Amino acid sequence: MAGKKQFDVGIALDAAMVQFWRAGYADTSLDDLSRTTGLNRSSIYSSFGDKDSLYLRCLDRYAARYGNRYDQALSCASEEPLQAVRAFFEVTLRRIADPDVPDGCLIAQTAMAAPTLSPTIAARAIEALDLQRARLRNALTAARLAEGDADDFAVHMTAVNQSLAVMSKAGASRKQLRTVIDISVSALSHALHARN
């Protein structure tokens, strides 16, 4: 349309996502979002709704982007479960090492701030963590790990994955993060060998 400025929704969502990821929900103002997306307040409201709605869109975008990568990493779990789990953790390590995105994890950051967020945003973070746990449980079940063990390891690995993001934000070295992963994979290896 003539006179109406067009913009790429994906680029704007990525910019907003990085802003929320870097500063957190509470410390991100509409002025910050306007500056980082290049959109004025009325464009933000008309395109994305209020701040909560925009944050939910950013959470969904983040969960889908990295969720697809986690799914791909775990796709070989039935044949190579240990390799699949290592690849799963590598997705997190690559994100942590990516200079183009903030340190840590937007889902973990949201979950930690849940008591101060709207119930809808808090619920969305919990849904994302539940999906992560289900993704791992399905992969470990495909690897023929006993159902109870698959559930337990899924809970453990979800927690480990979130802790990697938190530890990296607190300054843990790559070697320390790999040690955490190695211990988890070693425990899984013992469980897989015990099933035979």
Side-chain angles (χ1 to χ4, degrees):
M1 276 174 35
K4 184 168 183 173
K5 184 177 178 183
Q6 299 296 313
F7 67 94
D8 185 307
V9 171
I11 290 172
L13 280 172
D14 281 344
M17 179 178 69
V18 168
Q19 174 60 39
F20 281 129
W21 191 352
R22 181 171 286 120
Y25 177 88
D27 290 332
T28 295
S29 68
L30 281 173
D31 288 339
D32 294 329
L33 292 168
S34 181
R35 187 185 72 258
T36 58
T37 62
L39 303 174
N40 62 36
R41 284 173 175 247
S42 65
S43 293
I44 291 171
Y45 279 115
S46 65
S47 300
F48 303 110
D50 63 8
K51 184 177 167 183
D52 278 14
S53 298
L54 177 56
Y55 194 79
L56 289 168
R57 294 263 311 258
C58 291
L59 273 180
D60 290 345
R61 188 170 182 83
Y62 179 94
R65 176 174 296 157
Y66 292 104
N68 289 338
R69 294 173 191 177
Y70 288 126
D71 287 338
Q72 186 175 19
L74 292 170
S75 64
C76 69
S78 61
E79 301 86 29
E80 297 287 343
L82 298 178
Q83 178 182 325
V85 169
R86 281 200 183 278
F88 170 86
F89 286 127
E90 282 299 321
V91 170
T92 300
L93 292 180
R94 280 193 300 276
R95 186 189 70 231
I96 289 168
D98 185 345
D100 294 330
V101 297
D103 214 355
C105 168
L106 184 60
I107 301 296
Q109 178 178 307
T110 304
M112 288 186 292
T116 63
L117 299 173
S118 75
T120 305
I121 292 175
R124 191 70 56 90
I126 291 166
E127 285 172 23
L129 291 172
D130 287 344
L131 179 60
Q132 188 79 295
R133 192 167 39 253
R135 173 182 285 124
L136 283 158
R137 184 178 52 247
N138 292 341
L140 295 171
T141 300
R144 293 171 300 284
L145 196 61
E147 190 174 321
D149 289 342
D151 286 340
D152 292 345
F153 271 100
V155 169
H156 170 79
M157 290 180 176
T158 300
V160 167
N161 199 49
Q162 296 307 312
S163 74
L164 294 173
V166 173
M167 289 174 65
S168 76
K169 196 162 185 154
S173 70
R174 190 91 165 165
K175 183 176 187 291
Q176 289 170 321
L177 299 178
R178 288 206 177 276
T179 298
V180 171
I181 293 169
D182 290 345
I183 290 169
S184 295
V185 172
S186 177
L188 176 60
S189 176
H190 290 313
L192 287 167
H193 287 103
R195 77 179 175 194
N196 295 329

